[in-house]
Amino acid sequence: MLAKIVDDKWIYIEQITVAEESRIDKAFSVTLPNARYIDTSLGYFDGTYHKYNKFHKRLARPFLNELKRICQKHGLPLSVVDHRPPVCKIDSSLVTNDMLDGCVLEDYQVNGIKATCNEEVGTVSCVTGAGKTEMMAGTIKVYGCPTVVLCDMTTVVDQICDRLLLRKVADEIGMFYAGKRPNGQLVVIGSVQSLILPAKPEKQKSDTPEAYATKLKAFDTRRKNAYKLRKIVGKCDLLIVDECDNATSRQWKNLFKYWFNGRYRFGYTGTPYDADRPVKNMVLKEHLGSVIFEAKRQEVLNANRIIPVAYTAIAFGDEALIK
């Protein structure tokens, strides 16, 4: 089996047997819980999503590590050939405990940053309190290329921006959200909602011509901003997604399929996969790849970054009689 990489979006599978293709298709398929056949005029949907495209014989590029793991598990031969233009490999020796201003990184944080230096795509799993923003900052600093950081919640945009400035990742951080727009900065941070085209406002009976004209002007401004921001995402080399467990919606699918064309993409979250949502788990791997590093709770405890909490249940009144 030959896995050929010709761009930053797809892995094309060649020299594959029928049995191998069946195994790959099964490994990269996921079925909805309690799925049933749904008859339609165009056929039926049996509740199974197939991420391996049999017609084009391809997988999304973030599936590469998962493909290697599956082939090793089942004893399938696999050769990977990369036809993309060569790039300089990131030097992981630049990652040290004192690489960021104003803080000393824990050893597990250093290892997490090094993991992003050795991969092009992947998810970094960090428990609460592990300091994932410092790990983001380290990755951005060591790459030193046009970077976009996307957040699912606008409330954390300012927080991450302040932290990146505090660690002197860049002299200036561009922002796009709540009407703010970047202006040529190397590192840009914003909300994914800013990339969505707004719906044209409908004229209400209470709208005066002047009021409706103001609505249309605001709509046109937001639409132009969305197109500009999509171009910024399309030109960046490194994309970082905060709380990436939410990066499975249609807007995220459009981002990875149409707007982002860079080589490097990493997601950070404390809860990458949920056993109760198998389809979303597969989509997350399709967008950002498998977990390449995990900051475990015990490591964070040993570093005294979080305090263990014990709960004691106390019952009062009639509930105290329940055995």
Side-chain angles (χ1 to χ4, degrees), residues 13-242:
I13 310 297
E14 298 180 356
Q15 302 174 18
I16 185 171
T17 66
V18 174
E20 290 171 345
E21 187 170 59
S22 177
R23 174 69 70 178
I24 295 300
D25 178 53
K26 183 178 180 180
F28 289 97
S29 297
V30 60
T31 302
L32 287 168
N34 303 317
R36 62 185 179 86
Y37 288 92
I38 303 174
D39 293 317
T40 69
S41 58
L42 299 177
Y44 64 86
F45 172 59
D46 61 0
T48 301
Y49 294 87
H50 300 269
K51 294 302 179 181
Y52 171 68
N53 189 315
K54 286 187 175 182
F55 181 77
H56 294 288
K57 295 187 181 299
R58 70 186 185 186
L59 285 164
R61 185 172 66 92
F63 277 136
L64 181 59
N65 283 340
E66 191 73 5
L67 176 64
K68 292 178 180 178
R69 185 189 66 80
I70 290 168
C71 288
Q72 183 177 14
K73 177 181 177 180
H74 297 286
L76 302 178
L78 176 67
S79 297
V80 180
V81 180
D82 193 343
H83 290 284
R84 295 173 298 172
V87 295
C88 295
K89 189 175 181 180
I90 303 300
D91 186 3
S92 59
S93 66
L94 298 174
V95 182
T96 59
N97 296 80
D98 59 352
M99 66 177 294
L100 296 178
D101 281 47
C103 75
V104 177
L105 294 172
E106 303 291 346
D107 289 341
Y108 69 82
Q109 292 175 317
V110 171
N111 293 333
I113 299 170
K114 285 183 177 181
T116 60
C117 295
N118 297 326
E119 300 285 349
E120 294 184 355
V121 179
T123 300
V124 177
S125 177
C126 306
V127 297
T128 302
K132 64 180 174 65
T133 309
E134 267 73 28
M135 296 170 71
M136 284 185 198
T139 296
I140 294 170
K141 185 171 184 177
V142 77
Y143 269 83
C145 62
T147 301
V148 170
V149 181
L150 286 179
C151 307
D152 192 61
M153 297 183 295
T154 58
T155 54
V156 301
V157 173
D158 284 315
Q159 297 174 17
I160 295 179
C161 180
D162 291 342
R163 187 63 60 86
L164 296 182
L165 288 172
L166 179 65
R167 301 307 176 209
K168 296 186 179 179
V169 170
D171 294 333
E172 189 178 0
I173 305 293
M175 299 181 69
F176 61 88
Y177 90 109
K180 298 179 181 178
R181 289 188 299 174
N183 185 26
Q185 290 86 354
L186 185 69
V187 180
V188 176
I189 180 172
S191 65
V192 69
Q193 290 83 1
S194 299
L195 299 168
I196 302 173
L197 293 176
K200 186 176 181 179
E202 296 182 1
K203 187 174 183 180
Q204 306 296 325
K205 292 182 179 180
S206 58
D207 287 339
T208 64
E210 294 79 9
Y212 186 59
T214 301
K215 287 184 179 181
L216 289 178
K217 184 178 180 180
F219 157 75
D220 187 58
T221 300
R222 289 195 299 269
R223 184 171 60 87
K224 289 180 179 179
N225 287 344
Y227 280 121
K228 290 179 181 178
L229 298 175
R230 289 181 184 184
K231 288 182 180 180
I232 292 174
V233 171
K235 292 179 180 179
C236 76
D237 296 320
L238 171 63
L239 178 69
I240 288 182
V241 180
D242 181 52

